[in-house]
Amino acid sequence: MVFLLRTHIRIRRYPGGRWEFQIEHKPGDTKLLTDLLRRIQALLPGTGAGGD
């Protein structure tokens, strides 16, 4: 799940019919991603953060 949240895929089609795929992998220590992962972890059972 963390891999998908950090991955950005850009697909571009040029007028001549050629396609370009660009995959970017963003750093995982951004404040937005860290906060989101903490909230998701709190929702999961057995993590100790969200209750069982």
Side-chain angles (χ1 to χ4, degrees):
M1 177 171 56
V2 175
F3 176 79
L4 292 176
L5 290 171
R6 293 173 50 191
T7 303
H8 177 214
I9 300 172
R10 179 177 295 154
I11 302 170
R12 182 182 300 166
R13 183 174 183 269
Y14 291 98
R18 187 175 68 97
W19 291 83
E20 178 181 275
F21 297 90
Q22 184 178 32
I23 299 175
E24 299 173 345
H25 200 66
K26 303 292 183 181
D29 59 351
T30 62
K31 181 173 176 15
L32 177 64
L33 184 57
T34 304
D35 290 345
L36 178 62
L37 290 174
R38 281 193 192 123
R39 289 177 188 228
I40 291 171
Q41 184 180 18
L43 296 174
L44 297 175
T47 60
D52 298 274

